[in-house]
Amino acid sequence: MVEAQTWTTRRMSNPRLLSLDTNDQLLDIPATPPSDQRNNNNNNSVIGSNNYLTTCFIIASWYFSNIGVLLLNKYLLSIYGFRYPIFLTMLHMLSCAAYSYAAINLLQIVPFQQIHSKKQFLKILALSAIFCFSVVCGNTSLRYLPISFNQAIGATTPFFTAIFAFLITCKKETAEVYLALLPVVLGIVISTNSEPLFHLFGFLVCVGSTAGRALKSVVQGIILTSDSEKLHSMNLLLYMAPLAALILLPFSLYIEGNVFVITLEKARSDPFIVFLLAGNATVAYLVNLTNFLVTKHTSALTLQVLGNAKAAVAAVVSVLIFRNPVTVMGMSGFGITVMGVVFYSEAKKRSKGASH
């Protein structure tokens, strides 16, 4: 009996044994994962980091190409003195055709798609004509307008898209969407009235370029709707670019004269023009390639958000480089337009969500 009490006393005085007899919670120490699992986790983190870096690089390339082509066009057409916007646009189209062929048929970035009917070819030809009009007008406007004002006008694309969608397809938007377009228009009115370097012809062709860009998106959504006629954006560029170059050739010769001989003479006296034209045409293709890559690695919505910010970034960069005068009212109007575009995008997103 005495021994039993002694044993009990010893047991009660031992804290380790006491914890086993009471209902105290014990720490649940997880088992060490096997080495294979640890390696897989490390590999996944490395892959995630690499994907993040790749996406950042693609977005940076998108900004570089979109702003770079604007700066190069402005420098060539306005400062350097190469006053042939139609010929320059034709070079862009030839470059896009050559690079698209290499990207699709050689590098196989996307699968090659064929044109299946004459009807489909005629639809692509119509899109090419609208595309020509928009790009030529945009390049021509850079000869007369600063990039900041050019981008402010270009930001009104949603306004023209809504108009053409209503006129051509009778598609009506919600009241919220139409209200969001009011600051888009108000901002450009303020910018126009306070632009120090306003040029009427430059303004008109820039508006024409913006309207042409909106018309192309609406028409493309109409005429290439069936599954058999839908083309990937890279394949569509492969077919549109050479057609656009053929459309521009007679206009360039008729309006701009013997531009080929003039360009060759310029190249003999100043070889730097060859570098400028080749670099400009290459960056023009990179605009289309990075549009596709941004959509592939992020989403179409991300591309839209980047596009809203691009106009403001391009305007600031151009002012810093070309030192064109700006006014507080002009920048305020530009800001109102960009904010209107953001509101419009959000209203469209909510409208689509409600319809679904």
Side-chain angles (χ1 to χ4, degrees):
M1 191 69 177
V2 175
E3 278 197 15
Q5 290 177 349
T6 304
W7 168 247
T8 302
T9 305
R10 288 176 183 170
R11 186 182 63 159
M12 295 295 289
S13 64
N14 192 331
R16 295 181 62 188
L17 295 175
L18 176 64
S19 65
L20 292 174
D21 283 347
T22 60
N23 293 327
D24 291 343
Q25 293 183 351
L26 301 177
L27 291 175
D28 186 15
I29 301 175
T32 302
S35 60
D36 291 344
Q37 185 177 344
R38 292 199 303 271
N39 292 335
N40 288 337
N41 292 338
N42 291 336
N43 290 337
N44 289 337
S45 63
V46 171
I47 292 173
S49 178
N50 289 339
N51 289 339
Y52 175 78
L53 292 176
T54 301
T55 302
C56 290
F57 174 76
I58 289 171
I59 292 175
S61 300
W62 183 87
Y63 270 106
F64 168 80
S65 58
N66 276 269
I67 297 176
V69 76
L70 283 170
L71 297 176
L72 284 171
N73 287 345
K74 177 65 178 177
Y75 178 78
L76 274 166
L77 295 170
S78 182
I79 298 175
Y80 185 83
F82 189 80
R83 305 186 186 282
Y84 308 103
I86 302 176
F87 179 72
L88 182 63
T89 306
M90 189 179 71
L91 290 181
H92 289 181
M93 296 301 105
L94 292 174
S95 170
C96 288
Y99 282 120
S100 295
Y101 179 85
I104 295 174
N105 292 284
L106 301 180
L107 301 179
Q108 297 181 346
I109 294 179
V110 296
F112 174 69
Q113 294 173 289
Q114 291 184 336
I115 297 178
H116 297 291
S117 64
K118 181 180 178 181
K119 181 180 178 182
Q120 186 184 16
F121 171 79
L122 292 176
K123 290 179 178 180
I124 294 173
L125 180 63
L127 281 177
S128 301
I130 300 173
F131 186 49
C132 285
F133 174 79
S134 175
V135 178
V136 168
C137 286
N139 287 340
T140 303
S141 70
L142 289 173
R143 180 178 170 182
Y144 302 97
L145 300 177
I147 292 178
S148 55
F149 190 43
N150 172 280
Q151 290 298 288
I153 299 171
T156 61
T157 301
F159 171 75
F160 291 100
T161 302
I163 291 177
F164 286 127
F166 177 76
L167 293 176
I168 298 174
T169 66
C170 297
K171 179 184 177 182
K172 293 183 179 180
E173 301 289 353
T174 63
E176 183 185 10
V177 172
Y178 286 125
L179 284 174
L181 290 173
L182 292 179
V184 174
V185 179
L186 175 62
I188 199 60
V189 170
I190 295 174
S191 295
T192 301
N193 288 333
S194 55
E195 173 56 45
L197 300 178
F198 179 81
H199 190 283
L200 180 59
F201 178 73
F203 173 76
L204 292 177
V205 291
C206 192
V207 170
S209 172
T210 306
R213 188 161 54 247
L215 178 62
K216 175 182 170 292
S217 66
V218 173
V219 172
Q220 183 174 332
I222 297 172
I223 66 179
L224 295 177
T225 52
S226 66
D227 292 335
S228 61
E229 291 184 338
K230 279 185 178 178
L231 291 174
H232 189 279
S233 59
M234 300 291 287
N235 280 277
L236 184 60
L237 181 64
L238 174 65
Y239 291 116
M240 283 177 53
L243 291 174
L246 289 175
I247 293 172
L248 291 171
L249 178 60
F251 287 96
S252 177
L253 293 175
Y254 179 75
I255 297 174
E256 297 175 335
N258 199 359
V259 65
F260 291 96
V261 174
I262 296 173
T263 304
L264 288 175
E265 290 177 353
K266 279 183 173 289
R268 289 193 187 100
S269 59
D270 183 12
F272 185 60
I273 186 66
V274 178
F275 171 77
L276 282 175
L277 292 175
N280 182 256
T282 300
V283 175
Y285 170 73
L286 291 178
V287 170
N288 297 278
L289 177 62
T290 53
N291 280 346
F292 159 67
L293 291 176
V294 167
T295 305
K296 178 182 177 182
H297 285 265
T298 56
S299 65
L301 179 61
T302 301
L303 182 63
Q304 190 176 38
V305 172
L306 292 174
N308 295 339
K310 185 264 295 184
V313 175
V316 172
V317 172
S318 69
V319 170
L320 293 176
I321 293 177
F322 297 113
R323 304 290 181 179
N324 57 280
V326 293
T327 63
V328 174
M329 286 298 293
M331 295 305 293
S332 299
F334 188 13
I336 292 172
T337 296
V338 172
M339 289 303 299
V341 173
V342 173
F343 294 150
Y344 169 82
S345 302
E346 291 297 318
K348 284 281 289 183
K349 188 167 62 174
R350 285 191 290 269
S351 175
K352 288 181 180 178
S355 64
H356 291 309

